[in-house]
Amino acid sequence: MKRILIVGGVAGGASAAARARRLNEEAEIVVFERGEFVSFANCGLPYHIGGDIPGRDALLLQTPQSFKRRFNVDVRIFHEVIEIDKAGKNLLVRNLQNGEVLREPYDALLLSPGATPIRPPFPGIDSPGVHTLRNIPDMDRILAALEQGKPRHVTVVGGGFIGLEMMEALHQRKLEVTLLELSDQVMAPVDKEMANMLHARIREEGVDLRLRTGLSAIESLDVLADTAAVTAERRGGLRLTLSDGTHLDTGLLILAIGVKPETLLAVQAGLELGPRGGIKVDAGMRTSDPFIYAVGDAVEETDFVTGESVLIPLAGPANRQGRIAADNMLGRRETYKKTQGTAICKLFDLAVASTGLNEKRLVQLGLPFEKAYVHPGSHAGYYPGAHPVSLKLLFAPDGKIYGAQAIGKDGVDKRIDVLAVAQRAGLTVFDLQDLELTYAPPFGSAKDVINMAGFVASNHLKGDTTLCHAAEVQARHPHQVVLDVRNTPELDKLGRIPGAMHIPLDELRGRLDELPRDKELLISCQVGLRGHVACRLLSQHGFKVKNLSGGFKTWQMAIAE
């Protein structure tokens, strides 16, 4: 009989335990969890704080008792593994309730310790009122602080997934919220022009969004209570010193500036780490010790596009890794098929999603790439309720899909999911034209968003229409002229690119003599479709033309501040 020990539950450890039991009824499976909860929905924590998930128990997926009944897995909560003896193949485990320390032998060991929130060494970082959110106890402490302290203002530091979700949750609780982000954009997986749509939406909701602004120090307002600057209603709160030298008084501070792999046990055991600081594993999830496996947020994964080591703390990969590790611990030969980083986040009534590499990363890697923007409706425009889906597609000169990003109110998830599958399957942008996707007016269009992105990218690579982008239009040379082909009411209502000529598309054939033949025409419409028509018309009349991908809408996204 094989004895499998698992350190840590939640996504990776719990899925490995359940899979191991399904494969082998005879194995002894023990899970050690130093906290109280072995399997919970950590991605749901902000939504309970905000009230979308009213019942706390809904977040508890499995308990030690339910694991025992269904899977005959011995789950020991409040048990901390303090040492791995590789040579003797055993663990030193401390029972946190009675202090007892026992040695536990294993035939195979799985590490699923997860990651810990980053807490920079700011002055005052350990002050009461400073919180992170990673597990159920963290959530309970935040809720208790909100109920007991009744702050009017809360500050969130960090504009990633957790930061944005917590910002929205606190806003839903009718609190004043400031969101600090040190970089020039929130949601790092997408590029700046896409994130600008999020910035506008955050500010529309009345959230105080401060980009390029970090945190430098934290002081308790109780210490400053005798100063005239601190009112009685703000006592019990915090005074934040920001990176720009200003101060901000707040009732509660949520740190959401990222996580780092929990590798202490692995380091003490002499297991090899990867270049990013996570536990190094092979495709079978084995560490440098053949009897020890590791999964989840603590391990380094292989990027699907580049093959480089990456840290991508997502629940989906962790679950799949747990399953693969269980297979291999029980004699199978399964491999993890790399990580694309496919993810989505809700932001008020918007969704933002991405897969693969973004433009920033492609530039860093020095990879040649092309990009295309489309803004079609989520479903047929004549059926009520359609909303634009703004999609950015990144691809190689040969058509290989590098990545994609999308933002909108509806239909974002399925478009990025389709593109994630297309990328994994090795499809190119040329194949996107031919994908047969479901269509009925309430759900899509006969030419889906995905098809449209494929048309634009393919037309560019085939030379039917050469694309240009906002940066080129912004820095245009004297030999280039912008031609706007929208109708006059659109320009009056929506604005125009400074210095652009204007001839509506439907008048273009009759006004060719107004156009300079010695200059390159950069064509702009609202979202790029009429620009493509204009480019085809003008190129066949001898003009040199480029189409502004995504049109004036993308231009506005790109130049927004």
Side-chain angles (χ1 to χ4, degrees):
M1 181 176 70
K2 194 159 192 173
R3 193 167 200 255
I4 297 173
L5 302 186
I6 299 174
V7 181
V10 196
S15 64
R19 174 66 172 173
R21 176 57 72 221
R22 291 195 297 270
L23 293 178
N24 189 316
E25 186 64 22
E26 301 301 320
E28 182 182 359
I29 306 169
V30 184
V31 178
F32 298 106
E33 172 57 54
R34 63 187 170 196
E36 181 182 355
F37 306 98
V38 67
S39 181
F40 62 92
N42 51 0
C43 295
L45 301 179
Y47 299 107
H48 179 58
I49 292 172
D52 297 293
I53 302 173
R56 179 179 180 274
D57 288 348
L59 302 174
L60 306 179
L61 306 179
Q62 291 285 353
T63 65
Q65 295 76 24
S66 65
F67 246 122
K68 184 67 175 177
R69 287 193 303 268
R70 178 161 297 180
F71 296 109
N72 191 27
V73 170
D74 180 8
V75 175
R76 303 182 193 178
I77 58 174
F78 298 117
H79 278 66
E80 182 177 20
V81 177
I82 55 178
E83 182 182 296
I84 301 171
D85 178 5
K86 292 191 300 181
K89 293 176 64 178
N90 61 71
L91 302 179
L92 199 62
V93 185
R94 177 183 291 120
N95 184 327
L96 298 178
Q97 293 178 305
N98 60 23
E100 182 181 14
V101 177
L102 297 174
R103 285 208 174 268
E104 298 283 350
Y106 63 83
D107 296 305
L109 171 63
L110 174 66
L111 301 179
S112 180
T116 57
I118 295 172
R119 295 176 68 94
F122 298 135
I125 193 70
D126 296 320
S127 303
V130 179
H131 297 267
T132 57
L133 181 63
R134 190 65 178 167
N135 52 38
I136 296 282
D138 290 341
M139 179 188 74
D140 290 342
R141 283 189 286 269
I142 291 172
L143 287 170
L146 293 172
E147 293 298 326
Q148 296 166 12
K150 300 192 181 304
R152 295 185 180 184
H153 180 276
V154 180
T155 300
V156 178
V157 183
F161 289 93
I162 296 297
L164 291 178
E165 290 164 358
M166 279 303 301
M167 176 270 296
E168 181 177 355
L170 295 165
H171 180 271
Q172 284 184 189
R173 294 178 68 99
K174 310 301 182 184
L175 296 169
E176 297 176 33
V177 183
T178 294
L179 177 62
L180 305 177
E181 171 53 54
L182 187 58
S183 77
D184 62 354
Q185 68 165 90
V186 301
M187 192 53 63
V190 304
D191 291 310
K192 175 72 186 305
E193 74 279 15
M194 303 295 284
N196 280 338
M197 297 180 67
L198 306 179
H199 302 158
R201 188 70 190 89
I202 291 168
R203 289 176 171 133
E204 283 175 6
E205 288 291 329
V207 172
D208 176 23
L209 171 63
R210 305 192 191 186
L211 300 173
R212 304 179 185 88
T213 307
L215 182 63
S216 299
I218 305 165
E219 295 176 273
S220 170
L221 282 177
D222 288 338
V223 176
L224 304 170
D226 292 334
T227 67
V230 180
T231 60
E233 68 180 19
R234 290 188 178 273
R235 291 177 186 170
L238 302 166
R239 172 159 295 171
L240 310 180
T241 301
L242 307 183
S243 59
D244 60 4
T246 62
H247 293 89
L248 174 67
D249 289 353
T250 192
L252 201 69
L253 177 65
I254 309 294
L255 289 177
I257 55 179
V259 296
K260 58 183 179 181
E262 177 57 75
T263 60
L264 181 60
L265 267 178
V267 170
Q268 291 175 341
L271 298 178
E272 187 176 350
L273 299 185
R276 306 279 181 180
I279 301 172
K280 184 177 181 179
V281 293
D282 64 13
M285 308 314 298
R286 295 175 188 83
T287 68
S288 54
D289 184 295
F291 299 101
I292 303 177
Y293 297 72
V295 299
D297 295 355
V299 307
E300 293 195 3
E301 304 159 52
T302 302
D303 183 89
F304 183 82
V305 177
T306 66
E308 63 183 347
S309 291
V310 289
L311 294 169
I312 301 181
L314 294 173
N319 273 284
R320 295 194 299 277
Q321 291 164 8
R323 178 185 176 92
I324 289 167
D327 283 358
N328 293 331
M329 286 190 291
L330 289 166
R332 295 194 175 191
R333 295 183 178 179
E334 299 293 337
T335 57
Y336 182 66
K337 305 300 192 298
K338 304 179 183 179
T339 296
Q340 295 165 270
T342 308
I344 190 168
C345 182
K346 174 183 176 294
L347 183 71
F348 301 113
D349 57 351
L350 293 179
V352 52
S354 63
T355 191
L357 300 182
N358 58 31
E359 183 174 350
K360 297 187 294 283
R361 188 67 186 130
L362 289 167
V363 171
Q364 290 172 355
L365 293 168
L367 290 174
F369 69 93
E370 305 286 348
K371 58 183 177 179
Y373 300 87
V374 293
H375 305 279
S378 54
H379 60 250
Y382 57 82
Y383 186 90
H387 297 284
V389 175
S390 294
L391 187 144
K392 178 179 184 178
L393 181 64
L394 293 151
F395 50 97
D398 64 358
K400 177 183 177 181
I401 298 171
Y402 280 145
Q405 305 157 30
I407 297 176
K409 292 185 177 181
D410 182 45
V412 167
D413 52 346
K414 72 175 181 178
R415 270 67 187 218
I416 290 298
D417 283 344
V418 169
L419 288 169
V421 172
Q423 183 184 53
R424 185 165 288 272
L427 303 185
T428 68
V429 297
F430 302 108
D431 298 310
L432 299 182
Q433 304 173 99
D434 302 318
L435 292 185
E436 187 174 330
L437 304 171
T438 57
Y439 163 58
F443 304 104
S445 300
K447 290 186 284 191
D448 189 78
V449 178
I450 300 296
N451 301 131
M452 294 298 292
F455 294 148
V456 174
S458 299
N459 284 338
H460 175 65
L461 293 181
K462 292 175 182 176
D464 292 338
T465 300
T466 301
L467 297 178
C468 65
H469 301 285
E472 182 176 353
V473 173
Q474 186 85 323
R476 57 189 179 273
H477 299 291
H479 68 275
Q480 294 176 314
V481 173
V482 178
L483 172 63
D484 195 319
V485 298
R486 292 176 296 165
N487 296 323
T488 302
E490 292 178 89
L491 274 68
D492 295 339
K493 180 180 179 181
L494 301 173
R496 62 194 296 171
I497 296 171
M501 294 182 62
H502 174 229
I503 299 177
L505 176 61
D506 293 341
E507 300 176 18
L508 196 54
R509 283 188 181 85
R511 299 175 60 181
L512 296 179
D513 57 344
E514 299 178 30
L515 298 173
R517 290 188 173 272
D518 60 339
K519 297 184 183 296
E520 182 177 62
L521 302 177
L522 307 181
I523 311 299
S524 172
C525 65
Q526 185 58 28
V527 295
L529 180 57
R530 283 172 290 175
H532 170 66
V533 176
C535 280
R536 293 303 305 150
L537 186 162
L538 292 169
S539 64
Q540 294 177 75
H541 282 275
F543 290 92
K544 186 177 181 181
V545 292
K546 290 181 180 177
N547 188 25
L548 175 59
S549 185
F552 184 73
K553 182 168 184 175
T554 301
W555 159 267
Q556 288 182 304
M557 291 162 53
I559 67 169
E561 285 294 337

